Amino acid sequence: MIKTAAYLAPLLILTGCGSGDGKAENPNGRSVIMASGGYMGPIRAGQWQVISTGDVAGSDSMCITPEQIAADSFAGRSLEDRDCTVSRDRMSAGVIEVAAQCGSARHSMTIRGTYTETGFNLATTLELPVQGKIETLRSNRAGRWVAAECSEGGDEADA
């Protein structure tokens, strides 16, 4: 389990890493809009600092691109680039939902949470078969926006 968890831990940490040229600005300059269901505006494009706690702990930075925001996509191409099939990738109305199957055994991964313009809180689960049983890794991820431009290597994990 430890070896498999170590191999798949980057999937939990890097799930939100974007793709693109790394040059991002808040595409519409709108301020926070509150509605009865929660935050309704867009998340801010750019560099984000993410702290993960739980079964997979650490910190990393990631880039959320204007293209991801325009497509209402949290994961972008980051999961597809890591041998995952994405069945759901939604980021709108203050809610993030991602469902994917990863690796050769198609391990189930889910990400659910909320966001505002400059922050997000997510619960992430990854199910792994271990000795004929399914083990579930759980991690909580808190992200905060730090800059309009993404740094090189901003999607690399530090954990």
Side-chain angles (χ1 to χ4, degrees):
M1 161 108 173
I2 300 294
K3 187 175 183 180
T4 303
Y7 173 74
L8 292 172
L11 289 174
L12 288 172
I13 292 173
L14 294 174
T15 316
C17 299
S19 60
D21 65 4
K23 306 262 189 234
E25 302 243 352
N26 187 355
N28 57 22
R30 286 190 276 182
S31 61
V32 174
I33 301 169
M34 295 302 289
S36 61
Y39 178 74
M40 296 301 290
I43 199 165
R44 189 176 281 187
Q47 190 74 34
W48 288 72
Q49 181 65 36
V50 182
I51 305 294
S52 299
T53 58
D55 295 334
V56 179
S59 68
D60 63 288
S61 68
M62 62 181 271
C63 180
I64 296 178
T65 67
E67 293 81 12
Q68 284 174 262
I69 295 167
D72 292 330
S73 168
F74 182 75
R77 292 194 41 83
S78 66
L79 287 176
E80 292 169 5
D81 292 344
R82 289 177 173 77
D83 191 28
C84 294
T85 301
V86 179
S87 57
R88 183 158 181 85
D89 181 11
R90 180 175 95 80
M91 179 174 64
S92 66
V95 175
I96 293 171
E97 294 179 300
V98 177
Q101 295 71 44
C102 301
S104 60
R106 311 317 298 160
H107 307 295
S108 176
M109 182 193 327
T110 61
I111 302 168
R112 289 194 174 98
T114 59
Y115 70 88
T116 64
E117 182 180 29
T118 59
F120 61 75
N121 288 295
L122 305 172
T124 304
T125 61
L126 176 62
E127 294 179 353
L128 299 171
V130 178
Q131 298 177 350
K133 297 180 183 177
I134 299 294
E135 297 286 334
T136 302
L137 296 177
R138 291 180 174 82
S139 182
N140 294 309
R141 301 178 68 212
R144 68 178 178 86
W145 182 86
V146 293
E149 289 192 25
C150 294
S151 65
E152 295 229 2
D155 56 357
E156 298 295 322
D158 296 332

